[in-house]
Amino acid sequence: MAVERTLSIIKPDATKRNLTGKINAKFEDAGLRIVAQKRIHLTPAQAGVFYAVHKERPFYGELCDFMASGPVVVQVLEGEGAIAKNREVMGATNPKDAAPGTIRAEFAESVGENSVHGSDAAETAAVEIAYFFSGLELVG
C-alpha cells in the first residue's frame, strides 16, 4: 500500500467537549501521523464552500450551520493507506452502526454531530487538503 495523505476534521461537537487529544490518539495508535494541524472557526460561507458537493441535499444548510457553530480542528493525516485507515478509525457515519472502539462509536452524539470528517478518496483528499492548507504547512 502507498503512503497517502487525507484530510481529517474534528468537528464542533467534539472540540466543545475537549476530545481533540483523545481523537488524535486513536489516529496515532492506528499508525497515522499528523503532518499539519490547526484550530479554526469556519464561517457558514466557508463551510458552504467546503461542503458544496452536498448543496442539493436536504441536510446541507444544517450541516453548514453546525460546522460554523464552534471551532474545528483541521488536520492532514499521513500513512500507509491513510484514506481507508482514517475511515476505519472514524467508524460508520451513524454512531449506532459504528464498530466498537471507533471514534464515532465512542464520541459521536448523533448522525449529524458525529465528531469527525474524513476524505473519502484520493481526489477528494487532495481538494480538501488544499482548501485548508498551503504546501508550506504540510510538514511530514
Side-chain angles (χ1 to χ4, degrees):
M1 227 180 249
V3 172
E4 298 174 327
R5 287 182 172 168
T6 188
L7 184 81
S8 166
I9 301 176
I10 301 175
K11 294 181 178 181
D13 62 298
T15 62
K16 79 177 176 187
R17 291 180 288 140
N18 205 29
L19 296 173
T20 301
K22 290 178 181 178
I23 290 171
N24 282 339
K26 287 192 171 287
F27 293 136
E28 291 176 335
D29 289 347
L32 296 168
R33 290 180 355 127
I34 300 166
V35 298
Q37 181 182 68
K38 56 188 164 186
R39 184 179 180 97
I40 61 174
H41 196 144
L42 294 168
T43 66
Q46 290 166 328
V49 171
F50 182 76
Y51 284 109
V53 66
H54 298 302
K55 193 168 189 154
E56 301 305 318
R57 296 191 173 167
F59 59 82
Y60 174 75
E62 184 178 326
L63 173 63
C64 294
D65 289 344
F66 167 63
M67 291 301 290
S69 70
V72 298
V73 174
V74 292
Q75 54 195 9
V76 178
L77 306 176
E78 180 181 82
E80 292 284 329
I83 295 164
K85 177 60 71 176
N86 180 34
R87 297 188 71 74
E88 177 185 321
V89 172
M90 287 190 309
T93 302
N94 185 338
K96 292 178 183 175
D97 299 332
T102 62
I103 292 167
R104 289 176 173 150
E106 290 189 26
F107 304 123
E109 296 184 314
S110 68
V111 174
E113 294 186 3
N114 60 19
S115 300
V116 286
H117 164 90
S119 304
D120 61 3
E123 300 78 20
T124 309
V127 171
E128 291 181 346
I129 290 168
Y131 186 75
F132 291 108
F133 295 96
S134 75
L136 292 174
E137 295 175 297
L138 303 175
V139 290

